[in-house]
Structure formats: C-alpha cells, structure tokens
Amino acid sequence: MENTITSPVTDKTDDKKPIKKMMLILSKATIDNVYACFILANGARMEGIESEIFFTFFGLEAIQKKKLEHLHVATVGNPGMHIPTMLGGLPGMEAFATKMMKSEMEKLDIPPVGEFLEILAASGTKLWACKLAMDMFHLEKEHLIDDLDGVLTVGDFYTRAQGDSTQLLFI
C-alpha cells in the first residue's frame, strides 16, 4: 500500500498551490504592526504575489498625512518589550523605545513610513481605507495619503479577496 500525505483540513492528497494574493488587514498603527504589515506586503510583491492592505480602526493612522511619521512603539502591555507594564508607562519610555527602534531600522536601511507607502504603491500594492472606521473617526479622504487606492466597505474588501490561492492576514 502506498503512503500518501493528506491534509487534515481537506483530507485530500497534498497538492500545494502557490499563493497568488496576500490580503493584509492592519488594525493598529504601532510601529511594530505597521512595519510587519508593510514588510509582508513588500515581500509578496518581490515574489510576484499580489498584495493589498486594508487599513481599519487605528490602522488608519498609518495612512493619515498628519500622523504617519509620528507612530510609536507600544510599551504598555507589549510582551515583546520584556519590561514590566508599570515601567512601560513611565513618562518618556514610549518615546525612548520608539527612538531606539527607528534608529535600528535606519541602520538596516528600512524607509520611514511615508516613503515605504510610496514604495508599496509604486510596486503595485493596493492600499485601501475602511469606510466604517473613517466614518467612526470622522475622517475624509483628503486627510489620507495621495497614494490611497480608495475607500472600501468590509464587503468590498472580501469581494476583492475572492479566488483561489488568496491569503488573508490580520495584523
């Protein structure tokens, strides 16, 4: 009897299909979340994979003209900081951690948020703002970056995700 690999989800023979599209949902505009999202979207484009980012709730700050270059590292309640929550809340701690992280990213030649958004748009990454979140925060399209592809409802975003080999990732 021949051994075959089966998938626990489909219970079929393992036939891997290449990823064709990455749909990333960014809900928080902390530096670590924003850069994780942008690096994944950019990496997809470099591999020839379509990528789209849906900015919702506080993730909208990453595409607001007045806020995108003033994003912070979250020091309170961030287990990756490896410091007690009480220390993370001390005055100046968030600014210090943000400055350190930006310094390290600069050493690695990682572009600032605004420049990274331009690179993503130029590479073909689609950038979408969430209509509901914009309405909640009373934002108008003119508050957002010029490279924005548009404003979508959640339903519109899911429609764009249709098709084989599309992956959705919530960041």
Side-chain angles (χ1 to χ4, degrees), residues 28-44:
K28 296 180 197 98
T30 59
I31 285 181
D32 48 327
N33 283 25
V34 168
Y35 277 98
C37 182
F38 289 6
I39 289 166
L40 287 167
N42 189 56

Side-chain angles (χ1 to χ4, degrees), residues 23-77:
M23 305 289 286
L24 303 149
I25 303 166
L26 182 65
S27 67
K28 296 180 197 98
T30 59
I31 285 181
D32 48 327
N33 283 25
V34 168
Y35 277 98
C37 182
F38 289 6
I39 289 166
L40 287 167
N42 189 56
R45 293 303 303 135
M46 292 175 69
E47 295 296 324
I49 299 167
E50 291 179 56
S51 66
E52 301 191 18
I53 304 174
F54 186 65
F55 297 86
T56 189
F57 292 95
F58 299 109
L60 283 171
E61 290 190 5
I63 55 171
Q64 288 181 45
K65 292 174 186 173
K66 291 185 177 180
K67 294 185 178 183
L68 62 89
E69 295 300 348
H70 306 286
L71 305 180
H72 304 250
V73 172
T75 55
V76 175

Side-chain angles (χ1 to χ4, degrees), residues 116-129:
F116 211 151
L117 283 164
E118 291 172 8
I119 291 167
L120 288 168
S123 77
T125 296
K126 299 290 184 194
L127 306 171
W128 307 105

